[in-house]
């Protein structure tokens, strides 16, 4: 899962990016509105954390342009503007949530998890799929009630496939969710992680759709 952070304060942005990464999410961080506009036009993201007071192009304009172009990903405004009219304007312009600075990092992490969960059609925080149970908050995975130890990358791939259960994810789409800007990707990395997940969980859990990608079948409750 990948988040675009738009924050022009270097110290604050560094702390927010680290906090988001602690939640197991990949973060791309930009410092102004035009960079954000370009990133949204050219990249693939699951959510945006957006400051309003940005140089170049305001956060409100970034928000409006994203919605006008058909981007329907969750957008959380993070700003020092705490007036009611500012919150109303942001929400009416298409924001999904509004958090006022100063804030608690744990609250931001929780709000992001909630936005990501709802955007993928999951009402409950814990994802259950047959014998599999994944908790994004505690980063725990259980198979038939037994805890399974996964690496950070393995957990991220499994989380992505579960949130998209019933849909095929290409190797490129999974890589996009797994790596930020500038991170080197080896050619067989995804195949290796998929192999490890099948070995640790079940050989039948993740299907390979030849020439297309990977998927987890969606089971009915």
């Amino acid at each position: 899962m990948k988040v675009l952070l738009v924050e022009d304060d270097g110290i604050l942005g560094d702390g927010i990016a680290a906090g988001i990464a602690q939640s197991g999410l990949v973060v791309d961080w930009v410092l102004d509105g035009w960079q954000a506009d370009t990133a949204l036009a050219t990249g693939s993201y699951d959510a945006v954390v957006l400051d309003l007071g940005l140089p170049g192009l305001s956060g409100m304009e970034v928000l409006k342009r994203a919605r006008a172009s058909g981007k329907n990903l969750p957008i959380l405004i993070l700003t020092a503007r705490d007036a009611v009219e500012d919150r109303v304007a942001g929400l009416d312009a298409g924001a999904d949530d509004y958090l006022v600075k100063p804030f608690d990092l744990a609250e931001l992490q929780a709000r992001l998890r909630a936005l990501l969960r709802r955007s993928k059609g999951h009402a409950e925080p814990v994802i259950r799929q047959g014998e599999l149970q994944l908790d994004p908050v505690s980063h725990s995975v259980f198979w038939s009630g037994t805890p399974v130890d996964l690496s950070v990358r393995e957990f991220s791939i499994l989380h992505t496939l579960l949130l998209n259960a019933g849909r095929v994810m290409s190797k490129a789409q999974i890589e996009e969710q797994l790596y930020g800007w500038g991170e080197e990707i080896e050619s067989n990395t995804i195949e290796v992680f998929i192999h490890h997940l099948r070995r640790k969980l079940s050989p039948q859990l993740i299907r390979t759709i030849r020439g297309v990608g990977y998927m987890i079948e969606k089971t009915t409750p």
Side-chain angles (χ1 to χ4, degrees):
M1 305 290 285
K2 182 179 283 190
V3 175
L4 177 65
L5 170 62
V6 190
E7 172 59 63
D8 66 318
D9 185 308
I11 296 176
L12 180 59
D14 190 56
I16 295 172
I20 294 174
Q22 285 176 359
S23 297
L25 303 171
V26 176
V27 187
D28 284 343
W29 174 22
V30 296
L31 297 165
D32 66 53
W34 287 117
Q35 289 178 342
D37 191 61
T38 300
L40 286 171
T42 58
S44 176
Y45 297 96
D46 296 285
V48 180
V49 176
L50 177 65
D51 186 22
L52 292 183
L54 298 170
L57 188 69
S58 73
M60 192 65 75
E61 283 303 312
V62 172
L63 171 60
K64 291 177 179 178
R65 289 166 68 98
R67 294 311 189 208
S69 67
K71 299 287 184 183
N72 60 2
L73 75 172
I75 297 178
L76 186 154
I77 289 177
L78 192 62
T79 180
R81 302 178 188 177
D82 59 354
V84 173
E85 54 266 30
D86 289 324
R87 300 187 191 200
V88 170
L91 294 169
D92 282 346
D96 298 276
D97 203 353
Y98 198 108
L99 186 58
V100 176
K101 302 173 184 176
F103 60 92
D104 190 281
L105 188 57
E107 182 179 2
L108 172 61
Q109 292 170 331
R111 286 174 182 258
L112 262 180
R113 285 193 297 267
L115 288 174
L116 289 166
R117 187 170 66 243
R118 290 198 297 269
S119 71
K120 300 298 183 180
H122 293 271
E124 295 185 12
V126 176
I127 303 173
R128 295 177 174 84
Q129 192 76 4
E131 298 297 317
L132 180 63
Q133 177 177 308
L134 181 146
D135 186 345
V137 179
S138 63
H139 281 246
S140 60
V141 173
F142 290 82
W143 180 266
S144 297
T146 301
V148 180
D149 185 30
L150 300 182
S151 71
V152 173
R153 297 295 197 198
E154 290 165 357
F155 185 93
S156 295
I157 290 178
L158 182 61
H159 192 194
T160 295
L161 290 173
L162 283 172
L163 288 175
N164 293 277
R167 296 192 291 270
V168 181
M169 299 285 291
S170 70
K171 178 182 174 181
Q173 286 176 317
I174 296 173
E175 288 175 342
E176 181 77 17
Q177 298 293 308
L178 209 62
Y179 296 94
W181 292 332
E183 292 188 81
E184 186 176 347
I185 307 171
E186 295 183 10
S187 60
N188 66 338
T189 298
I190 301 302
E191 289 87 345
V192 170
F193 286 136
I194 294 292
H195 171 74
H196 290 168
L197 286 169
R198 285 170 172 157
R199 178 173 53 82
K200 292 180 178 183
L201 297 167
S202 168
Q204 289 76 41
L205 176 65
I206 302 172
R207 286 183 56 197
T208 298
I209 310 301
R210 294 198 177 278
V212 184
Y214 302 96
M215 72 175 292
I216 291 179
E217 296 282 3
K218 190 171 186 177
T219 59
T220 55

